[in-house]
Amino acid sequence: MRPSLLDPLFASVRSLSGIGPKVSGLLATLLGTQPPGTEPRVGNLVYLPPHNVIDRRNRPGIAYAPEGAIVTLEVRIDRHHPSPSGRSNVPYRVFAHDDTGEIGLTFFHAKQAWLEKVMPVGETVIVSGTMEWFNGRPTMVHPDHIASIDDMASLPLVEPVYPLTAGLSPKVLARGVQEALAKAPEMPEWIDPPVLDKYGLPSHRQALQTLHNPQDPGDIALDHPARQRLAYDEFLAGQLALALVRQKTKRLSGRKLDGDGHLKAKIIAALPYTLTNSQSQAIKEITADLRQPERMLRLLQGDVGSGKTVVGLLAMAHAAEAGGQSALMVPTEVLARQHFATIAPLATKAGLRVALLTGREKGREREEILEGLRSGAIHIIVGTHALFQEKVAYHDLVLVIVDEQHRFGVHQRLLLTSKGTAPDMLVMTATPIPRTLVLTAFGDMDVSKLTEKPAGRRPITTAILPMERLSELVDRMKTAIAEGQKIYWICPLVEESELVDLVSAEERFESLKPLLGARIGLVHGRMTGPEKDAAMLAFKNGETRLLVATTVVEVGVDVPDATIIVIEHAERFGLAQLHQLRGRVGRSDKPSTCLLIYKGPLGEVAQARLKIMRETEDGFRIAEEDLKLRGEGELLGTRQSGTPGFRLASIEAHEEFLEIARKDARYILARDPELQSARGAALRILLYLFERDEAVRLLRAG
Ligand code: ADP
Ligand code: MG
């Protein structure tokens, strides 16, 4: 259970005064709470870092205050000029002076009583706001702050500025943050004193204070000790959670998988191609891991089209040689079926039994599969999340392969792990994840890379076209179809939305059909499973030559003789997604083309993305550029899967702290594996604080 110390942070923001349903909804949008629409908590505000400050320390005196500058002035109030009665569009003006000159303070629709109260004639007050010179006269329209000399201390000379969303007033947000901050409890110290000393880190609460009440613009900088402290805490929570998972799975392990190679040899003999050197090397690394008594945790990185599937298959064959079962888990049903279709014939040649399990197998069929898994008759199971539902029990699951990993969250990984005693784990991803990101997402993991593509692949030509040239494009497609080419045509949404004017796949299908004839298919996410299969199969067989599709084909779909991909509204897609989509072509020895259709005008980021797509096919470079354009959380797909990303830590700015956190997490668990010590208790609080408490459950389970 969550320590009660943290309760105030987990209360709804509506427990704060001045935050009702409307503001709460706006905050949910701003903070991106998951699942969408969830009420934000007080803690979400506490851990919302300001991204800027307004510096009010400039006090030049009226005559020397430049146009447009934010200044703070100490002025004596001379006289009030209320708006003439009945003419509220004429502003209320208050005149004041200091030693250097006179200023007119201007108010529209002002409340006279209030103005007279805060600026009594003859008194000296502090005003702070943006300076304007109007017809050569200094003025200030609606000062941001007005305070008496006595209240001077309460005036924020350096004011934090938070990100905003439409409809949310900065004042309401800032007040909410302050109120939330007041509820943040003092935490027991979980950082090792030598680390605190070495980097001069403040306490957790002190760091939050500094962040939200900066005295200097530097106080909110990423390299300020306050921000470093919070980043370290966030990294430590993540690394500790990962280390706990590892500790738990290691404890269960101790299984050597010895294969004699006879099944692998049969499969390799059945392949219509020879393995690339990269593939052979990866298989060597994987089987070496499998032979070890330690549990394997390995990442197989290979750009789209590099041939990861067959590497996975050979790893599963090795497991079967050692008498164990393997599971291959993928994010979508389309992909599950496709993998099954590729793997089953090859595996069957080696005498292995392969089955498919998704949400769609029902009744008798499902029972038979479940029975086969229980008895061990099935050697290899391919499927979606259905693979780790409660009812699924395995005879002896020794290897789990997760394809296109970035779609799965930590939670799902944990569930899956609980199925076998300690299955070895291979994660296959096309996203070339930089090492630091691997570390934050997976902890220590070994990595195999497929650095070369199968021989004979031809580069993909990428072109960018405006929507206006659509009819010309359709003509080109007609010719291409006549030549016997296969074309994917990608549309962003399934149905015409009222809000966003995008072409839906259905509409595009209807409009292309009369132009191109009957040889055109459609596949989208709202179709039933069998409908999707039929559409994919018809395209694969060549019955249809052009397949209009939504992004259901984005990940992993393999129709090797497809040579053209058209992506409509390319400006709406992220870089990683465009790269994935483009990877659907260029899978044979024929030249391929990717046509990115955009609807102008293009924003800066969209323009940059399309340019990169045209310049390079190198997945690693694309991932790096993507990182620059989008930030870290999205690259790992944490947004999609709802795993909490990082709120305060920046991998770029705080890399050093990530490394320390990783070492520290290991050290902690080596000394105190159950987190029983006083520091251990504090660390449990840290895990809950950053919502890594899934890992705490592992402790109790032992
Ligand atoms: P990805 O790494 O994107 O998952 P796949 O495993 O789907 O790639 O493989 C892409 C295509 O390349 C498939 O059609 C597969 O049969 C083929 N392929 C895999 N390895 C080789 C190879 N060594 N030589 C030729 N073709 C290969
Ligand atoms: Mg794949």
Side-chain angles (χ1 to χ4, degrees):
M1 260 231 308
R2 188 173 58 227
S4 56
L5 175 72
L6 298 179
D7 286 350
L9 294 174
F10 282 82
S12 159
V13 287
R14 290 178 61 182
S15 65
L16 302 173
S17 64
I19 296 187
K22 180 154 168 273
V23 174
S24 164
L26 291 169
L27 287 173
T29 310
L30 173 71
L31 300 162
T33 51
Q34 289 293 338
T38 312
E39 254 187 21
R41 303 185 186 125
V42 170
N44 295 133
L45 286 181
V46 172
Y47 295 99
L48 175 68
H51 63 91
N52 208 345
V53 291
I54 298 175
D55 191 344
R56 303 187 181 283
R57 291 174 304 175
N58 187 13
R59 303 179 65 169
I62 293 169
Y64 305 107
E67 160 82 28
I70 290 182
V71 296
T72 298
L73 303 171
E74 185 175 328
V75 297
R76 209 176 134 89
I77 305 298
D78 297 323
R79 56 195 194 279
H80 283 233
H81 278 194
S83 318
S85 62
R87 297 187 54 199
S88 62
N89 57 333
V90 177
Y92 189 118
R93 309 201 69 197
V94 177
F95 292 91
H97 73 275
D98 66 7
D99 293 347
T100 67
E102 188 180 50
I103 188 167
L105 306 169
T106 305
F107 300 86
F108 292 93
H109 306 289
K111 296 221 164 53
Q112 181 163 0
W114 178 73
L115 292 174
E116 281 171 351
K117 182 165 154 265
V118 296
M119 292 177 288
V121 173
E123 293 285 312
T124 300
V125 301
I126 308 288
V127 295
S128 184
T130 308
M131 201 62 195
E132 286 176 45
W133 286 76
F134 192 70
N135 288 339
R137 295 173 183 214
T139 61
M140 191 180 279
V141 180
H142 287 267
D144 302 326
H145 296 278
I146 303 170
S148 68
I149 289 281
D150 294 343
D151 290 343
M152 174 74 197
S154 72
L155 193 139
L157 282 180
V158 177
E159 198 175 338
V161 180
Y162 299 94
L164 281 176
T165 189
L168 184 61
S169 114
K171 277 208 167 144
V172 168
L173 178 56
R175 222 183 297 133
V177 170
Q178 286 302 324
E179 211 185 313
L181 182 62
K183 299 201 174 205
E186 197 68 61
M187 306 282 182
E189 188 51 78
W190 46 69
I191 298 187
D192 221 12
V195 175
L196 288 177
D197 287 351
K198 178 163 180 210
Y199 296 95
L201 303 179
S203 76
H204 185 84
R205 189 154 199 295
Q206 185 53 48
L208 287 170
Q209 280 292 350
T210 304
L211 190 68
H212 293 300
N213 296 297
Q215 302 299 309
D216 183 285
D219 286 355
I220 68 156
L222 289 169
D223 61 0
H224 189 279
R227 187 63 183 263
Q228 288 175 335
R229 157 84 212 212
L230 297 169
Y232 182 76
D233 288 345
E234 197 167 29
F235 280 146
L236 184 60
Q239 291 300 305
L240 193 58
L242 290 164
L244 282 166
V245 173
R246 211 161 35 235
Q247 168 179 283
K248 157 100 177 172
T249 50
K250 266 240 166 87
R251 217 183 294 159
L252 289 169
S253 79
R255 178 80 178 265
K256 293 170 63 150
L257 297 178
D258 281 320
D260 62 7
H262 77 283
L263 297 176
K264 275 173 287 187
K266 280 188 189 157
I267 291 172
I268 290 172
L271 291 174
Y273 48 78
T274 44
L275 295 172
T276 63
N277 289 332
S278 280
Q279 284 171 322
S280 302
Q281 180 61 29
I283 291 159
K284 232 164 70 194
E285 287 165 4
I286 292 164
T287 49
D289 272 6
L290 294 175
R291 288 178 202 282
Q292 296 298 316
E294 251 102 67
R295 186 166 182 255
M296 173 171 79
L297 271 179
R298 186 171 278 277
L299 190 66
L300 176 62
Q301 282 188 357
D303 206 352
V304 287
S306 59
K308 294 181 289 292
T309 316
V310 70
V311 175
L313 172 61
L314 288 166
M316 296 195 286
H318 182 95
E321 287 166 11
Q325 293 172 296
S326 306
L328 170 59
M329 183 165 77
V330 299
T332 67
E333 211 174 287
V334 167
L335 201 49
R337 265 154 226 284
Q338 174 192 293
H339 274 339
F340 179 72
T342 343
I343 283 173
L346 291 167
T348 311
K349 287 213 175 112
L352 294 174
R353 202 167 140 208
V354 187
L356 177 69
L357 185 66
T358 68
R360 217 199 298 168
E361 283 66 42
K362 296 245 158 65
R364 259 296 277 295
E365 190 190 4
R366 190 178 193 85
E367 282 314 312
E368 274 173 24
I369 295 168
L370 294 185
E371 178 48 36
L373 290 174
R374 248 193 314 271
S375 72
I378 294 173
H379 304 99
I380 294 175
I381 183 86
V382 179
T384 54
H385 321 351
L387 293 183
F388 55 89
Q389 277 163 3
E390 265 167 49
K391 288 221 179 97
V392 185
Y394 293 84
H395 177 66
D396 187 16
L397 180 64
V398 296
L399 172 63
V400 171
I401 302 184
V402 183
D403 194 12
E404 310 297 351
Q405 158 68 25
H406 55 289
R407 292 290 170 110
F408 290 97
V410 174
H411 182 62
Q412 282 156 319
R413 278 209 299 275
L414 286 176
L415 266 176
L416 192 70
T417 303
S418 69
K419 284 292 173 191
T421 42
D424 285 303
M425 180 105 127
L426 179 68
V427 170
M428 308 202 292
T429 177
T431 315
I433 313 173
R435 199 192 94 82
T436 45
L437 284 186
V438 172
L439 211 58
T440 53
F442 309 108
D444 283 329
M445 229 182 174
D446 300 306
V447 180
S448 293
K449 283 187 185 164
L450 299 183
T451 50
E452 54 191 329
K453 296 219 169 161
R457 293 279 166 83
R458 307 268 290 268
I460 304 170
T461 311
T462 299
I464 302 170
L465 298 175
M467 198 62 167
E468 287 71 32
R469 290 174 58 188
L470 195 70
S471 63
E472 184 188 323
L473 180 74
V474 171
D475 287 341
R476 266 171 78 182
M477 294 306 108
K478 244 191 254 176
T479 317
I481 291 174
E483 287 166 8
Q485 301 201 58
K486 276 188 191 169
I487 305 155
Y488 289 105
W489 188 297
I490 310 296
C491 302
L493 274 185
V494 185
E495 269 164 19
E496 187 74 33
S497 136
E498 284 170 9
L499 298 170
V500 194
D501 180 25
L502 298 182
V503 188
S504 75
E506 269 164 0
E507 244 181 50
R508 180 56 72 212
F509 174 72
E510 293 304 332
S511 70
L512 286 177
K513 211 156 105 179
L515 299 173
L516 299 176
R519 314 191 76 183
I520 151 168
L522 172 66
V523 62
H524 60 66
R526 301 248 184 109
M527 287 173 144
T528 66
E531 284 169 350
K532 273 189 244 173
D533 293 351
M536 290 308 303
L537 191 68
F539 187 56
K540 202 155 190 159
N541 294 342
E543 283 157 43
T544 54
R545 291 270 151 192
L546 184 146
L547 182 65
V548 177
T550 57
T551 51
V552 291
V553 304
E554 170 195 343
V555 182
V557 166
D558 186 35
V559 178
D561 60 346
T563 48
I564 299 178
I565 185 162
V566 175
I567 305 174
E568 268 194 70
H569 282 291
E571 78 281 0
R572 304 253 168 182
F573 292 96
L575 208 39
Q577 213 179 2
L578 287 173
H579 181 61
Q580 271 284 349
L581 284 167
R582 182 170 59 183
R584 296 316 104 211
V585 299
R587 295 183 158 241
S588 68
D589 54 3
K590 299 207 187 65
S592 292
T593 312
C594 170
L595 298 161
L596 303 172
I597 313 297
Y598 69 90
K599 184 152 189 226
L602 285 179
E604 221 171 276
V605 174
Q607 210 166 348
R609 276 194 219 122
L610 297 183
K611 183 163 166 277
I612 293 160
M613 285 297 291
R614 198 176 45 199
E615 278 172 14
T616 184
E617 258 191 79
D618 176 351
F620 202 84
R621 169 144 182 244
I622 289 177
E624 276 178 349
E625 299 287 346
D626 202 25
L627 197 62
K628 279 188 215 149
L629 290 175
R630 297 209 300 177
E632 296 118 6
E634 283 195 46
L635 184 60
L636 282 172
T638 46
R639 297 256 160 97
Q640 288 108 306
S641 63
T643 319
F646 292 95
R647 297 183 241 182
L648 300 148
S650 151
I651 289 170
E652 269 174 42
H654 304 126
E655 190 171 348
E656 186 183 3
F657 289 93
L658 173 59
E659 198 58 40
I660 308 167
R662 183 179 72 93
K663 291 203 181 115
D664 202 14
R666 298 198 136 190
Y667 173 81
I668 290 162
L669 290 187
R671 306 252 316 226
D672 182 14
E674 295 296 323
L675 300 183
Q676 299 292 353
S677 64
R679 188 179 178 207
L683 287 161
R684 283 176 187 239
I685 293 175
L686 174 68
L687 288 169
Y688 277 102
L689 180 63
F690 285 104
E691 296 175 67
R692 305 288 179 156
D693 38 304
E694 278 157 3
V696 179
R697 244 177 283 137
L698 290 178
L699 283 175
R700 213 163 298 119

